Amino acid sequence: MRQSVTELQIDVGLSITVADDGDWIVKADGREFKLEEISDFYRAWLLLERPYPDVKAAFDQIALNVNVTIPFPFAKLIGSALKAKSGQWTDRAMTWVSFLTETEKASLKDLFIEARDSKWASQKSRQLARQYLNEIERSGQSG
């Protein structure tokens, strides 16, 4: 008998699941934190060390198992990592941006501008930020 998965382990004592009210939450050392604002997502950055398709599949399965209609907000996780102004987390987050919808990318426009113009982001991340900004401009979505 297959056990139905309802949470994704990120690290020891750290996991993401869905609360009874349908909100995505981080469980950290027995405490629960809602994932609502971009600033709430720093506890989930370790997910960025994994391949996006694996994490998306895991969250899709959890959403199915707990019958939640709100998909995991990947754009906010990526935005949180970009906001940190950390070269390491920006590099990791940038590898996930291509999986976002045009609307989700547009919602991160200001953070792409910061990364593009920054000294802390790697050259590769600055180039990706420039590329995503060009895509946003072409698609006519200005966030």
Side-chain angles (χ1 to χ4, degrees), residues 2-8 58 61-66:
R2 277 191 68 229
Q3 184 184 2
S4 99
V5 178
T6 57
E7 64 183 77
L8 177 62
Q61 189 59 55
I62 290 168
L64 195 66
N65 291 343
V66 297

Side-chain angles (χ1 to χ4, degrees), residues 38-76:
I38 279 182
S39 58
D40 299 335
F41 283 77
Y42 71 91
R43 290 181 182 91
W45 288 353
L46 286 174
L47 290 172
L48 296 168
E49 296 180 340
R50 303 179 186 185
Y52 174 88
D54 295 355
V55 175
K56 170 133 179 44
F59 284 145
D60 287 350
Q61 189 59 55
I62 290 168
L64 195 66
N65 291 343
V66 297
N67 201 18
V68 70
T69 52
I70 304 159
F72 185 82
F74 286 104
K76 288 183 178 179

